[in-house]
Amino acid sequence: MNPADRRTHWRDLVERRLPEAVRPDWPVRLDHCFARILLDNACGGPWRDHTRPPAHATMPLGQLEIAIALGEAVLAGRADLALLNRRSLAWRGKIAAAPVPEALRDGDLTLRRWRPEDTAPFAALNADPAVMAHFPRPRTEAESAAEAGLCDRRFVADGFGPWALEHAGRFIGFAGPMRILRPLPFPGGDRPGTTVELAWRLAREAWGHGFATRAARLALADLAGRCRIRSVVAFTAVGNDRSRAVMERLGLRPAGTFPHPAVPEGPLRVHVLYRLDCADREEAA
């Protein structure tokens, strides 16, 4: 479909198809409520903070595609509309956000919420070709600022997210869990919102010190103990041996490969998937 057709598809989805399919367990039934929930989750916050109305005409097509995919998943019974609604309401201050620890610490390594002063070193990290070698391209300053904001807003929506990492008083990257909101082609990945990804990205000068493994292990313990989420996935481009080694040190197990839909055709598109289920690991111990 061309862009105009996709925007028409969006309007039909929220104005007709979802209201006609209302189920007793759905928290909303009006078209503007469906639009609010899907758009907020596609943007990672109140959608009017990201684009001007009307969203069907002004929202970047990539974000609108995420909202469409979420709506189609709701219709198919593969996405929890109540969960998506709670995330939207938390961002809008309509319900209380889950309490989040001020920080997690492991000796000289601190996992904390994001601060405005993290934006510049995060942009430098994302502009480093070595750090971004397994991504389609480095990030711009604007893209880095948007990503940092999204990382922190995940804590408001879910009570967990990718923590900012600090060592010796310096920001060195991030590590932590995040809900996958874009459908991905692997078992569980087709149920947006239900699968949690463990991710990290560190500045080049922080490599080789074990920070990623230590931070991810601390984040996993918090996720299991405080949030009661005990299963995660992690994935990366097949050739990213450094990240794959971290996954294996954490006890994640390979679970096949998949073509990442957000990555263009080429050597980076095929990703390897790893899984960790803490309950299974404890039973086997």
Side-chain angles (χ1 to χ4, degrees):
M1 291 186 184
N2 63 40
D5 289 339
R6 295 306 286 163
R7 295 185 189 278
T8 299
H9 181 99
W10 162 256
R11 296 193 67 181
D12 185 55
L13 175 67
V14 296
E15 294 175 10
R16 182 184 65 83
R17 294 171 62 210
L18 281 164
E20 288 180 357
V22 166
R23 301 167 191 169
D25 59 330
W26 284 6
V28 300
R29 58 186 59 246
L30 301 177
D31 57 355
H32 67 275
C33 294
F34 288 115
R36 166 185 60 80
I37 294 170
L38 300 177
L39 292 171
D40 283 3
N41 278 276
C43 293
W47 68 266
R48 287 174 183 263
D49 293 348
H50 300 267
T51 191
R52 66 186 188 283
H56 69 85
T58 63
M59 179 167 283
L61 192 58
Q63 282 186 316
L64 195 64
E65 289 287 4
I66 296 173
I68 289 172
L70 282 172
E72 295 291 357
V74 168
L75 278 174
R78 292 184 285 102
D80 183 349
L81 186 64
L83 169 67
L84 299 177
N85 185 49
R86 288 195 298 273
R87 299 180 94 241
S88 170
L89 294 177
W91 280 319
R92 291 166 177 263
K94 302 297 185 182
I95 60 174
V100 178
E102 178 182 345
L104 308 176
R105 293 183 173 85
D106 176 21
D108 57 355
L109 186 64
T110 299
L111 283 64
R112 57 164 174 77
R113 292 284 294 274
W114 292 69
R115 300 170 182 163
E117 57 265 33
D118 298 330
T119 303
F122 188 49
L125 177 163
N126 284 333
D128 185 338
V131 173
M132 304 301 287
H134 298 283
F135 291 80
R137 59 175 177 79
R139 304 271 202 271
T140 66
E141 287 189 18
E143 289 169 338
S144 291
E147 185 179 9
L150 175 58
C151 284
D152 198 59
R153 287 193 298 274
R154 288 179 179 274
F155 287 91
V156 176
D158 299 315
F160 61 86
W163 299 89
L165 301 186
E166 185 177 293
H167 178 257
R170 294 180 57 204
F171 174 89
I172 61 170
F174 74 77
M178 61 184 86
R179 291 194 188 277
I180 299 175
L181 272 297
R182 178 174 187 152
L184 294 174
F186 59 78
D190 60 341
R191 303 184 66 83
T194 61
T195 300
V196 174
E197 175 194 1
L198 181 66
W200 53 87
R201 193 182 313 150
L202 273 65
R204 195 184 338 180
E205 60 269 22
W207 295 359
H209 301 285
F211 294 145
T213 303
R214 289 169 59 193
R217 189 171 286 131
L218 193 58
L220 280 172
D222 175 69
L223 185 70
R226 181 175 59 86
C227 304
R228 299 292 187 263
I229 296 175
R230 304 171 65 77
S231 297
V232 299
V233 301
F235 47 83
T236 188
V238 169
N240 190 351
D241 294 336
R242 186 181 295 273
S243 282
R244 293 181 67 172
V246 173
M247 295 172 194
E248 291 168 5
R249 284 196 291 271
L250 292 168
L252 282 81
R253 297 178 179 176
T257 61
F258 67 96
H260 199 302
V263 179
E265 288 288 352
L268 298 179
R269 190 169 201 213
V270 177
H271 277 47
V272 62
L273 176 71
Y274 282 75
R275 293 185 183 274
L276 175 67
D277 189 312
C278 296
D280 289 347
R281 188 171 64 177
E282 290 166 3
E283 290 175 6

